[in-house]
Amino acid sequence: MLGLKLPTDPRWVNIVEKNIEEILTDHAYCEQKATSTAISLIVSFPEYTELVTEMTALVKEEISHFKMVHDRIIANGWVLGRDRKDDYVIQLIKFFPKGGSRTTQLVHRLLYAALIEARSCERFRLLSEELKDKELAEFYRKLMMSEANHYTMFLGFARQYGDREIVDKKWQQLLDYEAEIMKNLSKSETIHG
């Protein structure tokens, strides 16, 4: 369903289980960055009324996810750690050249967002199925469904605002590129890395 070309190695969950505090901190920042992405799209493309409406709803949802993860961190007696760079996203955004028309820029940002949500969904599915902590596994199962909706929403907007044939070609190329990135990741307790 997600179209990802390289699935996450299930052994990644073993890395995660050794440091739940670290994955929760990274996850909290992913939710914060998703909130920021939605706000950025509103600020950058206010003339796209339907997009603004959906991004407004997404801001509320993503910040509520941040709170859920933060509450889980606190419940474990931990504090939110410091943000760290996301090597996955840093490498991913190198795919499309900078510049181009506003529409091209919008489509590229929507495709990046769709792919990040798709990979998050895939990782959450894996956590929901493989974590030994059944309460945490259920937490990730619920979030997985939400991420799938985000992925399809971003991809749908890219297809709506761009030429469908060109968008679908770019999407496939981005998926291929992302698979190459993933070959060198899945070695740390981060959502994407």
Side-chain angles (χ1 to χ4, degrees):
M1 175 197 122
L2 297 170
L4 298 171
K5 303 284 177 99
L6 183 67
T8 297
D9 184 330
R11 291 175 294 186
W12 170 75
V13 177
N14 299 333
I15 296 168
V16 168
E17 287 190 309
K18 291 176 184 168
N19 197 344
I20 297 296
E21 184 178 359
E22 192 66 27
I23 193 76
L24 289 174
T25 290
D26 185 69
H27 180 185
Y29 282 108
C30 287
E31 299 294 354
Q32 182 270 326
K33 290 168 188 168
T35 304
S36 296
T37 295
I39 292 169
S40 176
L41 286 167
I42 292 168
V43 171
S44 298
F45 303 98
E47 69 273 25
Y48 292 89
T49 302
E50 187 180 357
L51 178 68
V52 169
T53 300
E54 290 300 319
M55 291 303 103
T56 302
L58 185 62
V59 167
K60 293 177 186 175
E61 184 178 351
E62 296 289 17
I63 204 66
S64 76
H65 291 172
F66 172 84
K67 183 182 182 325
M68 290 165 57
V69 178
H70 189 243
D71 287 348
R72 189 165 283 277
I73 290 168
I74 293 168
N76 282 302
W78 302 322
V79 295
L80 179 64
R82 297 187 66 82
D83 190 13
R84 74 269 301 150
K85 65 180 181 167
D86 188 330
D87 290 328
Y88 170 81
V89 173
I90 290 167
Q91 291 180 52
L92 195 64
I93 61 174
K94 293 177 181 175
F95 181 72
F96 291 123
K98 299 227 183 288
S101 71
R102 279 180 56 71
T103 302
T104 297
Q105 291 174 37
L106 172 59
V107 167
H108 291 175
R109 288 176 66 180
L110 291 168
L111 290 176
Y112 286 136
L115 187 48
I116 292 166
E117 296 285 352
R119 183 56 71 181
S120 297
C121 180
E122 188 250 3
R123 290 283 176 100
F124 291 172
R125 180 195 55 77
L126 200 56
L127 292 171
S128 75
E129 293 172 355
E130 303 292 333
L131 281 174
K132 292 182 181 100
D133 179 335
K134 294 306 169 197
E135 184 184 337
L136 191 56
E138 178 61 17
F139 175 73
Y140 277 106
R141 188 189 70 73
K142 290 176 182 172
L143 288 174
M144 171 192 69
M145 294 182 288
S146 179
E147 299 301 314
N149 291 334
H150 300 167
Y151 146 73
T152 56
M153 176 187 62
F154 281 120
L155 187 55
F157 276 131
R159 289 172 170 158
Q160 178 180 334
Y161 298 135
D163 177 280
R164 174 68 186 255
E165 190 175 321
I166 293 170
V167 168
D168 286 347
K169 184 178 179 184
K170 285 181 178 184
W171 177 243
Q172 289 306 312
Q173 292 168 342
L174 184 59
L175 286 169
D176 290 338
Y177 178 79
E178 194 257 4
E180 289 300 314
I181 292 172
M182 291 306 294
K183 287 179 181 178
N184 297 316
L185 296 176
S186 301
K187 297 176 176 90
S188 66
E189 59 281 311
T190 59
I191 294 297
H192 300 117

